[in-house]
Amino acid sequence: QVQLVESGGGLVQAGGSLRLACTTSGIIFSLNIMGWYRQAPGKQRELVAAITGGLSTNYADRVKGRFTISRDNSKNTVYLQMNNLKPEDTAIYYCNARRRWGVSGDWGQGTQVTVSS
């Protein structure tokens, strides 16, 4: 019943921008911590950004100042605005929803972001 669907990925040049969206169903969206994670080939999955129901945010140091996470509870959707993209941002980006830290939560299938140099 739970479904998270990412969109907005694609191929961009270094310095460009993308906006990712994750639309959810089957969860009480407003009660979930929403997060964006990414994984590049041969590398570990890493947290990119997270936002709580109270709109507190957390960013990985590597994206701080370039990426912005936001949420629209009326649309059950979380966004990731990605500016000044770099080749090192190339990865599959996954959406995650969880009620609290310490649980795995639910995951989307991912969307590919490729940044060319």
Side-chain angles (χ1 to χ4, degrees):
Q1 298 280 43
V2 176
Q3 189 173 33
L4 311 182
V5 180
E6 301 96 335
S7 62
L11 174 64
V12 297
Q13 294 75 46
S17 297
L18 286 172
R19 189 179 74 152
L20 307 184
C22 172
T23 300
T24 71
S25 61
I27 64 170
I28 305 175
F29 181 81
S30 63
L31 298 181
N32 277 260
I33 301 167
M34 301 301 302
W36 287 98
Y37 294 74
R38 67 186 182 187
Q39 187 166 25
K43 297 183 179 179
Q44 293 182 315
R45 183 188 68 183
E46 66 173 341
L47 174 67
V48 177
I51 184 168
T52 69
L55 303 183
S56 297
T57 58
N58 185 50
Y59 296 92
D61 288 342
R62 297 176 69 84
V63 309
K64 200 169 300 180
R66 299 188 296 122
F67 292 8
T68 303
I69 189 170
S70 62
R71 66 193 294 160
D72 186 341
N73 287 353
S74 71
K75 298 180 179 179
N76 295 334
T77 299
V78 62
Y79 303 93
L80 185 67
Q81 179 66 47
M82 309 165 65
N83 297 327
N84 191 25
L85 283 160
K86 303 176 179 180
E88 64 201 59
D89 296 318
T90 295
I92 301 175
Y93 283 70
Y94 297 93
C95 180
N96 173 264
R98 67 184 78 189
R99 293 288 295 272
R100 58 178 174 84
W101 297 112
V103 300
S104 59
D106 299 292
W107 294 88
Q109 292 186 310
T111 185
Q112 177 71 49
V113 172
T114 303
V115 185
S116 62
S117 60

